[in-house]
Amino acid sequence: MGSLGSDQDQARFKSVVLPHLADAYALARWLTGSRADAEDVVQEACLRAFRGIGGFSGVNARAWLLTIVRHAAYTWLGKNRSAVLLTVDDLEAVEQKQARGGDPESGPATPEAALIAKTDAMRLEAAIAELPMPFRETLVLRDVQGLDYREIAEVTKVPIGTVMSRLARARRRLIASIGTDAPRDRS
């Protein structure tokens, strides 16, 4: 491995890590529940990735980086929070993104539709935040990040069967949680 400042390492870092920074931030955000904390985790993960870029085998850059982010997030959470305290405080950013990315064919959203969408997004976000960490990270890696089962198994270092089980259990818990929180009177 060359020196950390070598042009080759810098070029490799740019081509391997930088294209996946948005995914790294999204995973860190879901694991920490906070924009500021996620930024700290991604910064630490980038430092780790840069230090280890010489050992990258070239197989799956995204999974490699997300593995580093996952480890950095757990290290950060272990140092800065109790294992039971995880909050989600950036609902406004999620809501704004959803509002901008609406279906263009449906036309402008009515205030009522926007309120319903905002409420639904808040309930989903809260339900995901309540999931135990192994279920939450598996769900986020699959349904938010779009990784396949093999990639999730690689990132989380568990067998594919465990990935499938965690995902199924996470989805069942979400459905049960959202179903019990749903307003009863829908006229």
Side-chain angles (χ1 to χ4, degrees):
M1 179 168 124
S3 71
L4 288 179
S6 78
D7 291 341
Q8 183 180 12
D9 285 345
Q10 290 178 13
R12 191 162 192 209
F13 179 84
K14 286 179 185 177
S15 67
V16 170
V17 174
L18 295 185
H20 305 291
L21 275 182
D23 292 336
Y25 174 77
L27 177 60
R29 163 95 171 62
W30 277 105
L31 293 177
T32 63
S34 163
R35 182 185 322 166
D37 297 343
E39 290 169 356
D40 291 344
V41 166
V42 171
Q43 182 177 5
E44 174 60 26
C46 284
L47 288 171
R48 291 180 184 187
F50 189 73
R51 285 185 211 120
I53 197 70
F56 173 63
S57 66
V59 176
N60 187 338
R62 186 172 180 223
W64 180 75
L65 179 61
L66 292 179
T67 301
I68 295 170
V69 169
R70 178 179 178 262
H71 289 294
Y74 283 133
T75 301
W76 189 93
L77 287 169
K79 289 178 183 174
N80 295 290
R81 291 199 197 145
S82 107
V84 295
L85 176 64
L86 294 175
T87 62
V88 179
D89 67 356
D90 201 11
L91 293 174
E92 185 177 335
V94 172
E95 293 158 7
Q96 289 174 351
K97 183 178 178 182
Q98 288 174 341
R100 286 192 304 267
D103 183 9
E105 293 182 20
S106 67
T110 64
E112 293 83 10
L115 181 60
I116 291 169
K118 180 178 180 178
T119 302
D120 287 347
M122 289 173 63
R123 286 179 47 225
L124 179 59
E125 183 96 7
I128 291 171
E130 290 175 9
L131 290 173
M133 186 61 79
F135 295 166
R136 183 182 336 152
E137 80 176 350
T138 302
L139 181 82
V140 168
L141 289 169
R142 177 70 186 133
D143 294 339
V144 176
Q145 298 293 331
L147 271 62
D148 63 30
Y149 295 142
R150 181 187 50 75
E151 292 171 321
I152 296 169
E154 183 180 327
V155 168
T156 59
K157 303 291 187 242
V158 299
I160 289 177
T162 302
V163 169
M164 294 168 64
S165 172
R166 285 179 180 175
L167 185 58
R169 292 171 69 190
R171 289 174 176 165
R172 276 196 306 271
R173 284 181 179 217
L174 276 182
I175 290 167
S177 175
I178 291 173
T180 58
D181 291 342
R184 303 277 184 229
D185 182 32
R186 292 235 176 186
S187 347

